[in-house]
Amino acid sequence: MKMRVLHLALALVATLVTAVGPIAPTAAQADENHRQLSLASGVSIDQAVRMAEQRFKARVVRAEAQHDGEHTVYVLRMLNESGHVWTVRVDASNGAVL
């Protein structure tokens, strides 16, 4: 009798886990969600950082998003090998450097 109750309990748990699915998204699901959000909203801040580092041959040492209503601009602080520091602004909707 105890084995039958245990089997039923395990079957119920397995059914619930299968029906509900994972509570938190997996890393792959989170990456896909981020990618889809980036495509829908233009350029992600990570994409803007990579583009700026390649274009200016410098390292981004600080990045932040500034929102003005529905418009978002990424403000990137750049540092090159000679120690020069400057600010680059990137339009989040299309990746254009402002």
Side-chain angles (χ1 to χ4, degrees):
M1 180 73 172
K2 288 182 183 179
M3 284 299 274
R4 182 171 166 83
V5 171
L6 181 60
H7 284 254
L8 288 173
L10 289 174
L12 178 62
V13 169
T15 302
L16 288 174
V17 169
T18 303
V20 173
I23 304 269
T26 64
Q29 289 169 330
D31 287 344
E32 178 62 17
N33 292 345
H34 183 260
R35 186 187 71 75
Q36 287 177 352
L37 181 61
S38 296
L39 292 175
S41 63
V43 178
S44 72
I45 196 165
D46 293 333
Q47 291 168 322
V49 166
R50 284 192 302 271
M51 290 182 334
E53 287 179 336
Q54 290 174 356
R55 178 174 178 177
F56 296 105
K57 307 291 188 261
R59 186 168 50 109
V60 173
V61 294
R62 182 175 178 200
E64 68 179 5
Q66 292 183 347
H67 307 283
D68 182 17
E70 292 184 12
H71 191 247
T72 300
V73 173
Y74 301 129
V75 180
L76 311 176
R77 292 291 287 173
M78 308 288 299
L79 171 68
N80 66 11
E81 288 183 1
S82 65
H84 179 72
V85 177
W86 72 100
T87 301
V88 172
R89 288 175 172 73
V90 178
D91 188 325
S93 66
N94 59 18
V97 175
L98 306 174

